[in-house]
Amino acid sequence: MPEGQVVQRTEKLATVESLQVDFKALGIEKGMVLLVHSSLSAMGWICGGPVAVIIALQEVLGETGTLVMPTHSTDLSDPSQWKNPPVPESWWQTIRETMPAYDPDLTPTRSMGKIAETFRKQKAVLRSAHPQSSFCARGPQASDIVNNHALAYGMGENSPLARIYDLHGFVLLLGVGHSSNTSIHLAEYRADFSSKRVVEEGAPILQAGSSTWTTFENIDVDDSDFDRLGEDFSGSDAGKLVQHGKVGIADCQLMPQRAVVDYAVNWLEKNRGK
């Protein structure tokens, strides 16, 4: 959204201090492991933009809290699967042979928003090694979350999502809906449904100092029903654990990650493939 439109929608500008008040009112506490999905424009005009949001989150979490964000780079993938935009088939092999390898420090995010892209560049932030589905984290649990991120099945049991689950972490939907809730992908890996299938994916990674095109298995993830799942979750007993509130002018939800993942496993088994 153009910045001028964001200004027009904002009655009162947000600051680091006002954001801290909003985050605390929503239920964020010191010491939490917090996975954040965000839309900066949804929050209204903020003095300091994404930097202010990050500072406010870290102040509320304190030194004992750990902030996590998705830093996916889905453009490092097989060009035969590209749809937005597609490229000519005659380019595919050249792309596979020449695409620069994933570099946690250099590779930018794709479609993750300004807050996540800014966060990944902050000093002391660690980024996982997956070329497509990486996560960044900062705080005392950061290395436990991002280390040993497996190449195959990149949002499954050997992923930062599963480590957040182990740590009883929380999910903050900051101006976005459940279609952006990557934790539901962990439920896709855990659920048993008839339409579930394994696919082969590819990406350039560094091996012995050189970029190498590498293929690996994954499940065919699908977020097309995540919003419907989220609506059902909100109306369930488990959904009573969700805390709702405003940060700036954005509608936000804070929830225990385990609650939404466990609910989603059962929901997917009942609703997928029918």
Side-chain angles (χ1 to χ4, degrees), residues 176-224:
V176 300
H178 281 282
S179 61
S180 299
N181 191 347
T182 57
S183 292
I184 301 176
H185 287 305
L186 177 60
E188 285 188 287
Y189 286 81
R190 293 180 172 181
D192 182 16
F193 49 90
S194 60
S195 60
K196 189 173 185 177
R197 68 189 187 99
V198 174
V199 295
E200 183 178 274
E201 296 186 344
I205 64 172
L206 277 176
Q207 289 185 336
S210 298
S211 179
T212 303
W213 187 262
T214 303
T215 58
F216 49 92
E217 288 186 340
N218 197 8
I219 68 164
D220 190 16
V221 295
D222 175 15
D223 60 11
S224 62

Side-chain angles (χ1 to χ4, degrees), residues 99-112:
M99 181 183 288
Y102 172 71
D103 182 329
D105 296 321
L106 183 61
T107 301
T109 61
R110 182 178 175 86
S111 302
M112 294 288 101

Side-chain angles (χ1 to χ4, degrees), residues 63-138:
E63 294 183 358
T64 59
T66 300
L67 181 60
V68 190
M69 296 189 195
T71 47
H72 302 171
S73 45
T74 51
D75 48 331
L76 271 65
S77 57
D78 197 299
S80 66
Q81 301 174 359
W82 292 356
K83 297 179 180 179
N84 188 25
V87 295
E89 186 174 351
S90 60
W91 295 7
W92 293 355
Q93 191 55 35
T94 301
I95 290 171
R96 295 183 188 115
E97 292 174 353
T98 63
M99 181 183 288
Y102 172 71
D103 182 329
D105 296 321
L106 183 61
T107 301
T109 61
R110 182 178 175 86
S111 302
M112 294 288 101
K114 291 183 179 179
I115 296 172
E117 175 62 13
T118 302
F119 177 62
R120 77 165 183 90
K121 301 175 183 177
Q122 187 183 14
K123 185 177 181 180
V125 168
L126 305 179
R127 188 178 186 184
S128 68
H130 201 282
Q132 296 173 0
S133 305
S134 68
F135 288 77
C136 270
R138 186 175 189 267

